[in-house]
């Protein structure tokens, strides 16, 4: 019995179904089954799903449910086929966040078996805009432990979508719970589940990313189907009354169900003009029939609407809702970046003085304590200990920050405050659009690698990449905030000037995260190899492929175990997928060690005796170590045409080039991977692209940006011939 069954209906979204399926199959936690639900045999979604089922045993044969039966029937069909302990539901254009299943499993291990585990989700605009974590505020006050619904009566689940919870299958079957027929089945399902649940828990982490469709939700289209909402609401309240809920639980459920009903009544576009008053009257009958004794009206907007509903004041209700929509439009013209309260709080902090000793760091959009920002944070603690460094991380990544490093969660009150008040802001990607560039503040863009593939404005002529990049106007607005931009070599300097045109100052100081390659010693290399499980005396080959924009998931692209067998008995592979993916598609074991989740790519590189990559920028960093690099270029022409590149890697590679996995294995069998030609190619590559990486990049940045020292006072770059990289564990060439 698998731990999780993930049910994915595909009606109307077959073109994006592969994204949903890939997001599940790429999870680091592998104990699951994936159940696609398709319209009918031979339909587009069915063909896509059948292809996945044929390639991966974790994907069940497609279950069929006709579109006319609706979303509820499709989910019921998936439930009947499920065998997992817990069920999750994804729409066909939703995706699971990286690490989602592992986080769910860990939380359930903490709470024990619960009937329902609610979690957070993001709603992502179809084209431009910031994702919104709508569930974060709803779940904020929930107990940290597993609890009875009586202990949090306000948490009814009614405001949470079907795909924002995991459900214990034996609980559902034991209570004979199923999605009701008709439209608005999500309300019916959530209400019936919360009435029946006896033990629930909450996970404060984004698990599902929900794509907002350009045409909007089908439920919000005008039509007679809106009256199904009244029927679903009545069904839930009848069941609640029969279950004998406590006064507090029933009152909370009643108020929230009516609030959902009044959301539709308040939007004239959701109902035909001739039917709006009839819907309002139906809502009033619902209120009068199910209102609990002694019911106290809630405050705010919800209470005002309920009072007008109780009085039958349809005309006044319409006027009130029109006024609220107008006020909401005005609020939407405030700077973006979160809910109204958060935006106003951020604006208030912007009016207060800068904190001259405060430095805010962020890496990879908050993914953790890593890369150049982490290296600069560590060096600033040595050279400028009076500076207060705060590292920003997204929710769920707090564990990546060392215990002695101050941090704040992105979107939290403290996160907004430090962003608004900091003198220095340091990032290797970009801060959110809503972050303001204050007079007197200093923004340092560190980048996160040397570019081979096109970046920034240079992506405009490559449709696949340009579509993912979004607004180039917004991109340039972000560039306009930069005061300094970091470069590792002259190639990068020229590229950044073209890709990110702006008025910033270029700092040709090297890549701070690469300093460790020249400061680490043999004991550091040995320690990391032990931590990663590299056997004594083995040759560790790091395989680190790049992401392909024209693919939707990670692909190992060759049989790593077969490579180890063909390359030599002492060869092991360290697999590190691109950071956009949670991990590779392997379960590990044998002579392949999956190091994708290891916190530091620098440590992984230190542990490796050689690098095999395709077109990843990791080759530029690894070259600082002066260790062998082999390029596996099995789809170079496709990658060059779809992604765009700045130079022909086949003409100036950092080492031997293999076009097939068989050629790659031969290079390791005959020793060519570390032979004289390999060293010759690497030396030319290092001369051109490792110009400033001498182990003192972080020091130069801290002295120039934080301490204000003039360029002529900074440590000069050590010549390439005088640098001494960390030694590899295995340096002999095998034959």
């Amino acid at each position: 019995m698998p731990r999780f069954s993930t049910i994915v209906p595909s009606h109307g979204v077959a073109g994006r179904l592969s994204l949903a399926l890939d997001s599940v199959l790429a999870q680091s936690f592998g104990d699951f089954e994936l159940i696609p639900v398709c319209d009918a045999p031979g339909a587009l979604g069915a063909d896509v799903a059948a292809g996945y089922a044929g390639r991966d045993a974790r994907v069940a044969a497609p279950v069929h449910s006709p579109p006319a039966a609706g979303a509820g029937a499709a989910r019921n069909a998936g439930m009947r086929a499920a065998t997992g302990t817990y069920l999750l539901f994804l729409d066909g254009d939703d995706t699971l966040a990286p690490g989602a299943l592992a986080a769910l499993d860990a939380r359930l291990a903490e709470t024990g078996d619960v009937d329902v585990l609610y979690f957070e989700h993001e709603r992502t605009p179809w084209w431009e805009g910031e994702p919104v974590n709508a569930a974060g505020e709803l779940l904020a006050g929930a107990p940290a432990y597993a609890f009875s619904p009586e202990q949090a009566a306000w948490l009814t689940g009614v405001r949470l979508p079907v795909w924002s919870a995991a459900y214990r299958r034996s609980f559902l079957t034991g209570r004979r719970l199923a999605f009701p027929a008709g439209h608005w089945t999500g309300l019916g399902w959530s209400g019936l589940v919360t009435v029946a649940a006896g033990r629930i828990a909450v996970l404060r982490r984004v698990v599902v990313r929900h794509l907002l469709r350009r045409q909007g939700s089908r439920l919000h289209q005008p039509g007679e189907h809106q009256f199904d909402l009244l029927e679903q609401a009545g069904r839930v309240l009848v069941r609640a009354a029969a279950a004998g809920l406590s006064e507090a639980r029933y009152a909370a459920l009643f108020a929230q169900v009516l609030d959902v009903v009044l959301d539709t009544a308040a939007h004239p576009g959701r109902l035909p003009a001739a039917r709006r008053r009839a819907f309002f009257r139906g809502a009033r009958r619902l209120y009068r029939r199910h209102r609990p004794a002694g019911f106290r009206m809630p405050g705010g907007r919800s209470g005002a609407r309920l009072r007008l509903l109780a009085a039958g004041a349809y005309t006044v209700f319409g006027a009130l809702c029109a006024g609220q929509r107008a006020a909401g439009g005005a609020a939407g013209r405030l700077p973006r970046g979160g809910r109204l309260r958060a935006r106003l709080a951020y604006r208030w902090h912007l009016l207060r003085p800068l904190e001259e000793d405060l430095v805010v760091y962020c890496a990879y959009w908050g993914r953790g304590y890593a890369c150049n920002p982490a290296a600069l944070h560590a060096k600033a603690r040595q050279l400028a200990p009076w500076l207060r460094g705060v590292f920003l991380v997204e929710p769920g990544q707090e564990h990546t920050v060392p215990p002695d490093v101050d941090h704040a969660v992105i979107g939290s009150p403290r996160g907004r405050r430090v962003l608004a008040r900091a003198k220095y802001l340091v990032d290797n990607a970009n801060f959110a659009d809503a972050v303001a560039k204050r007079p007197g503040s200093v923004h340092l863009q560190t980048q996160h690698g040397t570019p081979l593939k096109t970046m920034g404005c240079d992506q405009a002529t490559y449709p696949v990449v340009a579509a993912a990049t979004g607004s180039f106007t917004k991109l340039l607005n972000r560039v306009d905030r930069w005061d300094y931009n970091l470069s590792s070599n002259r190639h990068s300097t020229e590229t950044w000037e073209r890709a990110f045109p702006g008025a910033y100052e270029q700092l040709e100081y090297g890549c701070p995260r690469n300093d460790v390659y020249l400061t680490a010693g043999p004991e550091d290399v040995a320690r990391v190899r032990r931590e990663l499980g590299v056997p004594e005396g083995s040759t560790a080959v790091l395989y680190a492929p790049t992401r392909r924009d024209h693919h939707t998931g990670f692909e190992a692209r060759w049989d790593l175990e077969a490579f180890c067998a063909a390359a030599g008995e002492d060869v092991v592979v360290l697999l590190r997928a691109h950071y956009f993916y949670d991990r590779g598609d392997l379960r590990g074991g044998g002579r392949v060690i999956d190091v994708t989740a290891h916190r530091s790519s620098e440590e992984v590189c230190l542990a490796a005796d050689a690098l095999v990559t395709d077109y990843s920028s990791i080759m530029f960093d690894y070259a600082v170590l002066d260790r062998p690099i082999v390029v596996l270029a099995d789809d170079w022409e496709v990658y060059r045409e779809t992604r765009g590149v700045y130079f022909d890697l086949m003409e100036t590679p950092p080492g031997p080039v293999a076009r097939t996995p068989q050629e790659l294995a031969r290079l390791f069998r005959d020793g060519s991977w570390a032979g004289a030609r390999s060293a010759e190619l690497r030396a030319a590559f290092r001369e051109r692209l490792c110009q400033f990486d001498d182990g003192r990049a972080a020091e130069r940045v801290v002295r120039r940006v934080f301490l204000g020292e003039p360029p002529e006072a900074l440590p000069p770059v050590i010549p390439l011939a005088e640098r001494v990289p960390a030694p590899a564990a295995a340096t002999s060439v095998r034959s």
Side-chain angles (χ1 to χ4, degrees), residues 464-622:
V464 172
V465 189
T469 300
S471 169
F472 287 95
T473 299
K474 289 187 176 182
L475 170 67
L476 293 176
N477 288 339
R478 294 191 290 269
V479 171
D480 288 341
R481 297 184 302 206
W482 302 354
D483 294 289
Y484 299 101
N485 182 52
L486 202 53
S487 174
S488 299
N489 43 60
R490 292 290 163 81
H491 159 70
S492 292
T493 301
E494 296 170 0
T495 299
W496 301 144
E497 289 179 354
R498 182 174 62 253
F500 302 118
Y504 51 82
E505 179 181 340
Q506 293 268 27
L507 302 181
E508 292 183 319
Y509 293 169
C511 189
R513 72 181 182 191
N514 291 347
D515 287 352
V516 68
Y517 298 147
L518 294 123
T519 60
E523 66 283 356
D524 299 302
V525 174
R527 172 186 57 80
V528 176
R529 286 169 71 94
R530 285 194 302 271
E531 291 177 357
L532 296 179
V534 178
E536 284 282 346
S538 63
T539 298
V541 178
L542 171 59
Y543 173 47
T546 192
R547 172 176 177 260
R548 284 157 173 75
D549 300 88
H550 55 288
H551 290 171
T552 57
F554 174 76
E555 299 178 19
R557 304 188 66 79
W558 46 297
D559 189 330
L560 303 183
E561 289 283 0
F563 164 77
C564 291
E569 62 183 13
D570 65 335
V571 172
V572 298
V573 169
L574 305 177
L575 168 64
R576 189 169 182 86
H578 190 277
Y579 60 83
F580 274 14
Y581 305 119
D582 185 35
R583 71 188 300 277
D585 59 358
L586 301 173
R587 294 180 175 84
R591 292 160 65 183
V592 177
I593 305 171
D594 190 342
V595 297
T596 302
H598 190 73
R599 63 181 182 83
S600 169
S601 62
E602 293 78 48
E603 287 193 345
V604 171
C605 287
L606 282 174
D609 300 299
L611 169 69
V612 173
T613 186
D614 38 30
Y615 326 116
S616 169
S617 64
I618 199 172
M619 72 178 74
F620 302 98
D621 305 306
Y622 196 80

Side-chain angles (χ1 to χ4, degrees), residues 361-363 368-380 391 426 512 602:
Y361 302 87
C362 189
Y369 186 81
C371 196
N372 292 322
L376 290 174
H377 174 272
K379 184 58 68 173
F391 222 93
V426 180
E602 293 78 48

